[in-house]
Amino acid sequence: MTSAQAREGAVALVTGASRGIGLAVARALAESGHRLVVTARDPDALQVAVAGLRADGAEALGCAGGVADSGRSEASVALAMRAFGRLDVLVNNAATNAPYGPLMDVDLTRWRAAFTVNVEAALRLTQLAWRAWMGEHGGAVVNICTEGASHVGPNVGAYGTSKAALLHLTAQLAGELAPLVRVNSVSPGLVRTEMARFVWDGAEEQLAASLPLGRIGAPEDVARAVTWLVSDAAEWVTGADLLVDGGTRVRAAAGTAAYAVHDRLRSSATGEA
């Protein structure tokens, strides 16, 4: 995926794009010249997001529905092909942090539902994009993982395990789909989103002090990383995980070894969004 292609009207599909990281990614891709198909579970929120993107000058269409619904995933790819005739970029951002709590208390039906949203949907959408366009014309896929996929944390075992699977899926697909399609991931640390509100709300100063770069993330931090990965500046990058975490993993060397995020997770009775 090159910048020249984007100027010629390349198309990006972004899931979970009515708010937070997904919406920031959609805005950043629109600014770099992409036409958009965006999805989200909430039809009203999606309508507002699409209206905002269009008001900013983007050529954007919405396809309401959750990624766990295979029919809605098929519909989103079909919409891109019908409306724009191509699909160059796929950003698998939609996710769930449910079920929240110790794994010994987890209902396995909800565990399987988490994997459907966080892992299976990314594979399904990549298959659909490959068959519709990328398998012949190339493209770029970016999966939004998490800094926490590399280690354990209190009450987020289902989320972390599913995202670790997504991280492995990213590498596997990168190998299988090369050289036509580049597949990478971005792993954010704590970002100011609604899904993570239960962690950062009322504690930003404390949380920022535990990070070497002195603040929690903004959705735009992740969006800039995604935009780089799908650009020609990253044309020799595939199978990579780009860590965007404010220095979370190096905090010990910075003298900020205590991780306030884990304290917040331990004290939260429920963190699902």
Side-chain angles (χ1 to χ4, degrees):
M1 185 68 241
T2 67
S3 297
Q5 285 175 312
R7 287 195 295 270
E8 293 167 3
V11 176
L13 170 59
V14 184
T15 68
S18 64
R19 64 182 188 177
I21 290 172
L23 182 54
V25 168
R27 285 174 175 152
L29 291 176
E31 289 172 2
S32 69
H34 293 79
R35 296 176 291 173
L36 300 170
V37 172
V38 293
T39 79
R41 289 177 299 171
D42 185 335
D44 294 334
L46 182 63
Q47 185 176 14
V48 171
V50 170
L53 289 165
R54 290 175 176 171
D56 290 337
E59 192 172 350
L61 298 172
C63 185
V67 294
D69 182 340
S70 60
R72 299 316 299 162
S73 294
E74 292 170 1
S76 64
V77 172
L79 176 60
M81 295 304 297
R82 184 172 65 251
F84 300 126
R86 60 192 295 170
L87 179 54
D88 306 273
V89 170
L90 170 63
V91 182
N92 289 305
N93 167 71
T96 179
N97 60 359
Y100 183 83
L103 289 185
M104 292 303 96
D105 297 333
V106 163
D107 177 270
L108 291 181
T109 299
R110 301 187 72 205
W111 166 274
R112 286 189 289 272
F115 275 78
T116 298
V117 173
N118 292 349
V119 187
E120 182 182 313
L123 174 58
R124 178 188 298 118
L125 278 160
T126 303
Q127 290 175 332
L128 291 166
W130 172 267
R131 293 164 186 164
W133 176 263
M134 293 183 182
E136 292 186 15
H137 305 280
V141 176
V142 178
N143 297 321
I144 305 302
C145 291
T146 176
E147 177 275 331
S150 67
H151 57 80
V152 300
N155 294 324
V156 291
Y159 180 71
T161 304
S162 64
K163 288 293 190 174
L166 180 60
L167 197 61
H168 187 89
L169 177 66
T170 300
Q172 183 69 33
L173 289 174
E176 291 191 13
L177 303 188
L180 275 176
V181 177
R182 296 186 300 105
V183 186
N184 295 289
S185 60
V186 175
S187 284
L190 178 62
V191 176
R192 192 182 295 102
T193 64
E194 284 302 311
M195 192 167 84
R197 178 177 288 276
F198 76 102
V199 180
W200 58 261
D201 193 18
E204 279 201 58
E205 186 174 339
Q206 174 193 6
L207 294 166
S210 75
L211 297 174
L213 293 188
R215 67 172 176 87
I216 68 172
E220 292 74 19
D221 293 314
V222 182
R224 284 189 288 270
V226 173
T227 303
W228 179 75
L229 281 172
V230 305
S231 76
D232 58 347
E235 65 181 1
W236 207 52
V237 177
T238 197
D241 180 50
L242 183 52
L243 192 63
V244 183
D245 72 343
T248 297
R249 292 191 191 174
V250 299
R251 62 188 183 278
T256 53
Y259 193 27
V261 169
H262 281 181
D263 293 335
R264 295 283 290 182
L265 291 173
R266 289 188 189 95
S267 64
S268 177
T270 178
E272 299 175 13

